[in-house]
Every structure is written in C-alpha cells, then in structure tokens.
Amino acid sequence: MGVRRGMRFVLLVAALAASATVCAAQLRRNHYAGVCPDVESIVRGAVTKKFQQTFITVGALVHLYFHDCFVEGCDASVLIASTANNTAEKDATANLSLAGDGFDTVIKAKAALDAVPRCRNQVSCADILTMATRDAIALAGGPAYAVELGRLDGLSSTAASVPGKLAPPTSSLDKLTALFASNGLSQTDMIALSGGHTVGLAHCSTFASRLRPTVDPTLSPKFAAQLQSWCPPNVDARTAVPMDTVTPRAFDNQYFKNLQTGMGLLSSDQLFYTDPRSRPTVDAWAKSEAAFDQAFVTAIIKMGRVGVKTDASQGNIRHNCAAFN
C-alpha cells in the first residue's frame, strides 16, 4: 500500500470511527422523557410477564441483542421478517438458532407501549430490545444498570450481510478478539459478554464435534459423558441444553467457574481458560461475581453503542418491529 493510499485509508477509518462516536454520543438515558416518560416501566412490565411464562426469555434476549448489534449495528435489523423479495437477517444460517421467545418479548413490549396513546410509535424497536435485554438480565439475578436510549431502527436487513459478522463456536481466540475489536470492544469486553452464556442454551449441533468421534481433551470426562447422554447420535436438531448446567436459571459468575473445571459447553467458551492470555480474566471473575458484574455492565453498554443510527437519514421508528414502514 502506497503512502498516500495508506494515509487515505487511515483517514477513512478515523472518519468512520468519529461518525460512530458522534452517533453514540447522541444516546442519552432520558431520551423519551418528553414523549413517553414511563417507557422503561412499561417495557419492564412486559418483560416480567414473559419471564414468568418462560425463563428461556433471558438467554433468548441476550443472544438476540448480541446478534443484532454485531450485524449492521444495534438497529433492530435482526427483527425484520423475510418477504418474497428479501431474505432478512433473521433467516441467515447463523441466526436460525435465535429463540423465538426473544422476538416475542420485543413484540409484546412494543404492543404494551402502543397501548398508551402518547407512547404509540414513539419508541424504537432497537431501544425496546436494549431495555428488554437489561430487564431480563436483572430478573435472572444479574446486575441492574441504566441504559442509553435514542437509537433509530435500521432501514436494511439482509441475510447476505451476516456472514463474517458472527464468529462460529469453533473460532480461535485471535479471531474472536479481532471480531470484537472491529466493533470497538476489547478482549476483556468479549470475555465479559461471553459470560452472558450463563443463561443461554445451545443446540447439540454446536458442540457435537467435541463429543464425537473422539472427546475433546479440554472437556471434563464426566461432563462429556453427560453431554453425550443428552445429545446422542442422530439427536433431534432442535434439542438444546443449558450452557451453564450448574445454575442455568441464574445470571451469575458460574460460567467462569465452569471453565475452570472443563465444563465450558462450546469450544469458543473453553478456550478462554485453556489459552494463557485469557485465563487470568476467567480466574478473576470466577473468584469475584462483583468484578464480573462490573465488567459485564461496562461491556454491554459499549456494545449498545455499536453502529447506532440517530439521524433520520439512517433510520426511523418502526410501526411494526418485524417490517419496514
């Protein structure tokens, strides 16, 4: 790369980063105070009702939020339904594992807001997903934190935009770190956000290669035997197991304790402990839930700023979260 071309590339990257920073700076906690002051309590009520119906809601929302933010930014593009003319993000191969309960929670929260005249079509689906994820985490015993609001809903959603944006569970630490860095997130942020797997589910197919034809040596033999019984050969593709089998219904630091004993479900989870570069972080958070909570809140707030749209030329507030206006 020539000097002039290299300088142009650096300037372009700097300009894009500055643009993203400006958009993120326009987010604020009281964004809806003038149009829908009770927005957070209304969303929390809808999430609480869904949570009481099924605990899957928690992991489903955390998973959905991550997949939304890493593809085209936190703009609710993952919520768009496919049409005859467009295969949307949600139908990309990497998104087929997203649980329907996450989508349903956002739809229910949107309906609850629209039932209040002054709030109808005033709150973006992207912000609803952000608030709902925060509320579900708190309901599962995780940290409570204030959310920044003011995102607009994206104007594009295509399955073709997904490949390369979401790392498969077989990814190396270097590949994962590079992916998160491309979204302005550090390796520490990445490990903290992965701690959200403490309330997640994973289909047997995502870790089958760790069980057969030979067992991954980084797996605890006892845990491997348990997984083999849950996921026998030719198991139904829809079968899923908790990513944290010790405290599957609690948002806590058990995920990191599991890694210390060879009970990380995905190879991309377990490598945080097997790799000496990330092991100290795992050990620190296995020892201190408070330290993990603090790191997780920092990381998820940072993730919520990724690729946000705040200008009318970039997005709008959808009347239906699953369809463009």
Side-chain angles (χ1 to χ4, degrees):
M1 181 182 292
V3 174
R4 290 182 63 186
R5 187 178 175 187
M7 288 181 65
R8 285 172 59 194
F9 176 75
V10 171
L11 288 171
L12 174 60
V13 171
L16 290 172
S19 176
T21 301
V22 169
C23 289
Q26 292 175 359
L27 299 179
R28 59 186 189 276
R29 293 180 181 179
N30 62 345
H31 179 78
Y32 296 104
V35 293
C36 182
D38 297 325
V39 58
E40 295 198 44
S41 62
I42 294 171
V43 170
R44 187 175 298 112
V47 175
T48 300
K49 186 174 181 180
K50 180 70 179 180
F51 172 82
Q52 292 169 342
Q53 294 170 351
T54 174
F55 185 82
I56 292 174
T57 301
V58 185
L61 282 167
V62 173
H63 197 190
L64 184 62
Y65 191 43
F66 170 73
H67 279 228
D68 183 45
C69 291
F70 267 49
V71 181
E72 306 299 335
C74 307
D75 65 352
S77 52
V78 74
L79 302 179
I80 291 292
S82 294
T83 64
N85 300 318
N86 178 57
T87 302
E89 269 181 45
K90 69 181 294 187
D91 289 319
T93 301
N95 282 333
L96 296 179
S97 62
L98 294 173
D101 291 296
F103 295 91
D104 187 57
T105 305
V106 176
I107 291 170
K108 296 287 176 56
K110 165 71 170 165
L113 287 167
D114 284 349
V116 179
R118 70 182 300 179
C119 297
R120 185 174 179 81
N121 296 328
Q122 295 293 323
V123 182
S124 71
C125 300
D127 278 345
I128 293 173
L129 175 55
T130 298
M131 288 182 278
T133 302
R134 181 270 310 269
D135 295 337
I137 288 169
L139 285 166
Y145 56 94
V147 291
E148 299 171 333
L149 303 170
R151 300 165 189 78
L152 291 177
D153 298 322
L155 306 177
S156 173
S157 177
T158 64
S161 66
V162 177
K165 303 289 181 62
L166 301 166
T170 53
S171 299
S172 66
L173 183 65
D174 288 336
K175 183 175 181 179
L176 287 169
T177 300
L179 176 65
F180 277 73
S182 70
N183 288 291
L185 297 163
S186 68
Q187 187 177 98
T188 299
D189 295 326
M190 173 181 73
I191 300 170
L193 289 168
S194 296
H197 287 172
T198 186
V199 288
L201 294 173
H203 291 91
C204 292
S205 59
T206 60
F207 55 87
S209 63
R210 303 187 72 201
L211 304 176
R212 301 177 185 88
T214 58
V215 175
D216 183 335
T218 65
L219 266 177
S220 152
K222 183 177 179 180
F223 186 50
Q226 186 177 45
L227 294 176
Q228 287 173 329
S229 68
W230 288 341
C231 300
N234 304 315
V235 66
D236 188 320
R238 295 168 296 182
T239 301
V241 302
M243 299 185 81
D244 171 5
T245 57
V246 180
T247 58
R249 289 176 173 266
F251 193 101
D252 55 19
N253 67 333
Q254 185 63 46
Y255 167 85
F256 299 103
K257 296 177 182 179
N258 291 344
L259 299 186
Q260 292 177 316
T261 56
M263 292 177 63
L265 190 61
L266 306 179
S267 59
S268 55
D269 288 320
Q270 193 59 49
L271 69 80
F272 292 144
Y273 191 71
T274 57
D275 194 303
R277 294 172 294 175
S278 47
R279 185 183 300 171
T281 303
V282 172
D283 287 336
W285 294 341
K287 183 178 181 180
S288 172
E289 186 166 337
F292 162 57
D293 283 351
Q294 183 176 10
F296 181 83
V297 168
T298 296
I300 200 166
I301 289 175
K302 283 175 66 176
M303 187 178 78
R305 298 168 182 160
V306 173
V308 295
K309 284 82 174 169
T310 58
D311 186 89
S313 65
Q314 302 172 315
N316 56 28
I317 294 177
R318 280 185 218 139
H319 297 175
N320 175 352
C321 290
F324 297 118
N325 292 350

